[in-house]
Amino acid sequence: MSKPQTSVVILGGGPGGYEAALVAAQLGARVTVVDSDGLGGACVLTDCVPSKTLIATSETMVQLRGSDSLGIEIPGASGAGNGDPGSSGRGGAGTRQAAPGERDWINAPRLYGRVKALAQAQSADVGARLAAEGVEVVVGRGRLTRLTRPARLAGVHAVVVGDREIVADVVLIATGGLPRVLPTARPDGKRILTWRHLYDLDELPAELVVVGSGVTGAEFASAYQALGSQVTLISSRERVLPQEDADAAVVVEEVFKRRGMTVLSRSRAAAVHREGGGVLVTLTDGRAVRGTHCLMTVGVVPAIGGIGLARAGVAVNDRGFIDVDRVSRTSAPGVYAAGDCTGVQMLASVAAMQGRIAMWHALGEAVQPLRLDHVAATIFTEPEIATVGVAETMIESGQVKAEVIMLPLVTNPRAKMQGFRDGFVKLFASPRSGRILGGVVVAPRASELILAVSIAVEQLLTVDQLAHTFSVYPSLSGSLTEAARRLMMPARPRAPFGEPAQ
Ligand SMILES: Cc1cc2nc3c(=O)[nH]c(=O)nc-3n(C[C@H](O)[C@H](O)[C@H](O)COP(=O)(O)OP(=O)(O)OC[C@H]3O[C@@H](n4cnc5c(N)ncnc54)[C@H](O)[C@@H]3O)c2cc1C
């Protein structure tokens, strides 16, 4: 008798859910994805894809603004040859402040229309891919429930969507997250905003107050400053991006300020109200900040309300996220969870990997538990910050023993040709084996450059091996091989080329 087909039901069609569905279908399961707001999830429709599409336009503005220093004169462009840092070469291309009127270069409805169209197209691609793999998609809000029919079976679950009950051997919860809302700063979608409201505006904010200087706040502050908005960034900590590499955060904050952004550090927003045609942000120390719009970026909470977790025996941790182990199991047998609802690391790539791992585990495949120390991540400010592997704070605290090299890009020939100077590459390597343990790249397109370090970390490569790898001349990646060369220690016995490092 052939083995009965395993039934998998996935709540949520974001990267945590749809990537899991593809794996489960590939392994022969009968797969149903229940999704309420559109395939691709918040990742594709409101968060990651739209923000990076907006940033594509803001990057072009940075290049246009710096074009005068590269010998291009755009008729009517007010910044050309005006002796600002960009044209003097001190700051590099695109580092000057936005001139009055440059905001008018942006056709906001067309920009936001492009953002939304691209997100919808990406969502449709996800739908087509799931359909091609035979995955059933049910539109609606699902919740876990007690199995009513047939008679309750051990290890079998049920998910209810509307009046339909779907029986499942395995359930994956991948319901994502929601913007955290402060009771004293309730978004109205018009002037007081979360990032999910931005693309419904019909204008670019003239004066944008961004509350929160974590990754999301920094990315939008950078993008809108480049698009021509006057940005005030309110940061409760000493510096922006407090969780990130300190040297990288310093570079980005300097660029922000040089471009005319007001950064209020050690400042906490107490309340945000509408005032006249704009907003009034009151800080806890009594100061007031005014703007035309306020963007709240104060975190993400798990979207797990009303989905029957307690009834199914799924525990949440003290942060309020679904508790999972490194193969995505929850406390309830047969129920897995992936992505932002677990709060493990709020990245699309991590959500997708958690979802795949869940399915490999549930469907009996060999599986490697999730390894967060190998996750590559980028903050899409301008310049970008990309990181992988250990963080320097782990080295400073003695948790990890590593040598550190940091090479500023100011001497990199390609960087000079392209007219920028803000950024660096940094490598961390084991002093004993020379193994590359991690790195940081701050540069335009650092998100692409980090792959070399990622491969080195994943494949346990040594600085010698990276140093002996050809890079193109001239290139920014040349700074990575140069950094590796500077970390080479002649005294250490080196593995013959091509052999695995010790
Ligand atoms: C502004 C911003 C920019 C970002 N940029 C990046 C980036 O550049 N790179 C990166 O890696 N990450 C980025 N992220 C993070 C990334 O978007 C998330 O980590 C990712 O979306 C998590 O995927 P997920 O599958 O857990 O959830 P989601 O993408 O949120 O998908 C969850 C889906 O489940 C649906 N759902 C919820 N409840 C139910 C229910 N009861 N029944 C049915 N369906 C339900 C939701 O409607 C949604 O469609 C960004 C986040 C933000 C806020």
Side-chain angles (χ1 to χ4, degrees):
M1 218 172 70
S2 65
K3 219 173 130 207
Q5 202 181 18
T6 307
S7 157
V8 174
V9 176
I10 297 172
L11 271 189
Y18 74 73
E19 288 287 346
L22 294 174
V23 167
Q26 190 185 42
L27 294 175
R30 189 171 72 249
V31 189
T32 308
V33 172
V34 181
D35 186 83
S36 51
D37 297 279
L39 290 174
C43 173
V44 166
L45 291 166
T46 55
D47 295 0
C48 176
V49 170
S51 65
K52 264 75 267 182
T53 310
L54 179 91
I55 287 168
T57 298
S58 71
E59 281 172 354
T60 306
M61 282 294 276
V62 171
Q63 285 164 3
L64 282 175
R65 202 165 283 134
S67 61
D68 56 313
S69 67
L70 302 182
I72 301 169
E73 277 189 23
I74 304 173
S78 45
N82 62 1
D84 57 44
S87 55
S88 69
R90 190 163 59 80
T95 60
R96 73 166 169 82
Q97 299 186 11
E102 281 180 6
R103 200 164 54 91
D104 299 339
W105 294 0
I106 303 292
N107 179 329
R110 204 189 297 166
L111 165 59
Y112 291 146
R114 174 173 189 265
V115 168
K116 289 195 271 194
L118 207 136
Q120 287 300 335
Q122 182 82 6
S123 173
D125 286 349
V126 172
R129 179 79 205 283
L130 290 178
E133 300 299 329
V135 173
E136 185 192 8
V137 176
V138 177
V139 178
R141 187 156 291 277
R143 64 184 161 82
L144 292 159
T145 185
R146 280 188 200 286
L147 192 65
T148 52
R149 57 193 150 86
R152 190 149 187 248
L153 301 166
V156 178
H157 307 272
V159 167
V160 168
V161 196
D163 53 12
R164 181 168 168 197
E165 182 183 88
I166 312 167
V167 176
D169 302 302
V170 176
V171 172
L172 175 74
I173 305 167
T175 48
L178 300 165
R180 185 167 150 247
V181 171
L182 304 181
T184 51
R186 295 206 173 275
D188 62 9
K190 304 277 184 234
R191 296 282 167 177
I192 306 171
L193 312 164
T194 75
W195 57 88
R196 295 188 181 173
H197 297 123
L198 288 170
Y199 315 106
D200 290 323
L201 297 179
D202 50 16
E203 58 177 348
L204 278 188
E207 296 158 357
L208 180 65
V209 184
V210 179
V211 176
S213 68
V215 175
T216 302
E219 287 188 358
F220 282 114
S222 172
Y224 276 96
Q225 182 73 24
L227 291 170
S229 301
Q230 182 56 53
V231 174
T232 302
L233 180 58
I234 298 181
S235 170
S236 60
R237 308 286 281 276
E238 181 65 36
R239 58 172 169 82
V240 303
L241 294 165
Q243 311 296 334
E244 307 302 325
D245 182 89
D247 295 314
V250 165
V251 170
V252 166
E253 186 165 334
E254 270 175 23
V255 173
F256 281 178
K257 288 178 176 168
R258 204 191 304 145
R259 289 183 183 161
M261 190 186 298
T262 304
V263 180
L264 300 178
S265 46
R266 278 175 275 118
S267 302
R268 196 175 279 277
V272 184
H273 297 288
R274 295 277 293 257
E275 185 194 60
V279 292
L280 170 69
V281 181
T282 315
L283 306 185
T284 47
D285 61 11
R287 281 176 295 160
V289 181
R290 289 183 168 79
T292 57
H293 296 77
C294 176
L295 174 64
M296 300 298 297
T297 60
V298 290
V300 171
V301 295
I304 52 175
I307 60 169
L309 291 187
R311 182 170 252 234
V314 176
V316 296
N317 59 27
D318 50 8
R319 292 164 54 224
F321 291 86
I322 298 177
D323 210 13
V324 284
D325 64 13
R326 287 174 59 213
V327 290
S328 310
R329 280 179 298 196
T330 70
S331 53
V335 180
Y336 292 73
D340 284 5
C341 64
T342 68
V344 167
Q345 191 170 353
M346 297 209 196
L347 286 175
S349 52
V350 173
M353 188 56 82
Q354 285 181 289
R356 293 187 204 110
I357 287 175
M359 293 301 107
W360 286 322
H361 186 269
L363 298 171
E365 293 292 299
V367 61
Q368 191 179 24
L370 184 70
R371 300 191 59 173
L372 289 177
D373 55 348
H374 286 203
V375 174
T378 295
I379 301 158
F380 291 83
T381 43
E382 209 297 311
E384 295 176 353
I385 301 173
T387 52
V388 68
V390 302
E392 196 162 353
T393 46
M394 297 164 80
I395 301 166
E396 285 162 357
S397 69
Q399 206 182 330
V400 172
K401 273 201 177 358
E403 297 205 334
V404 181
I405 180 100
M406 179 166 137
L407 288 188
L409 286 181
V410 71
T411 53
N412 178 293
R414 190 76 190 279
K416 286 183 201 158
M417 291 165 202
Q418 292 188 304
F420 65 83
R421 44 162 283 164
D422 297 303
F424 61 79
V425 302
K426 201 190 256 191
L427 284 182
F428 310 125
S430 158
R432 211 168 54 85
S433 65
R435 246 190 68 199
I436 293 168
L437 303 175
V440 182
V441 179
V442 180
R445 293 275 181 273
S447 48
E448 308 289 347
L449 291 168
I450 198 70
L451 181 67
V453 190
S454 255
I455 293 172
V457 170
E458 184 65 37
Q459 299 302 321
L460 315 181
L461 300 184
T462 63
V463 286
D464 300 33
Q465 287 169 314
L466 183 56
H468 281 75
T469 305
F470 272 103
S471 58
V472 167
Y473 182 86
S475 68
L476 297 183
S477 47
S479 285
L480 284 173
T481 48
E482 168 71 15
R485 273 196 295 282
R486 299 219 192 164
L487 277 176
M488 278 172 70
M489 287 154 287
R492 195 183 61 247
R494 198 185 304 160
F497 232 45
E499 284 188 17
Q502 298 305 305

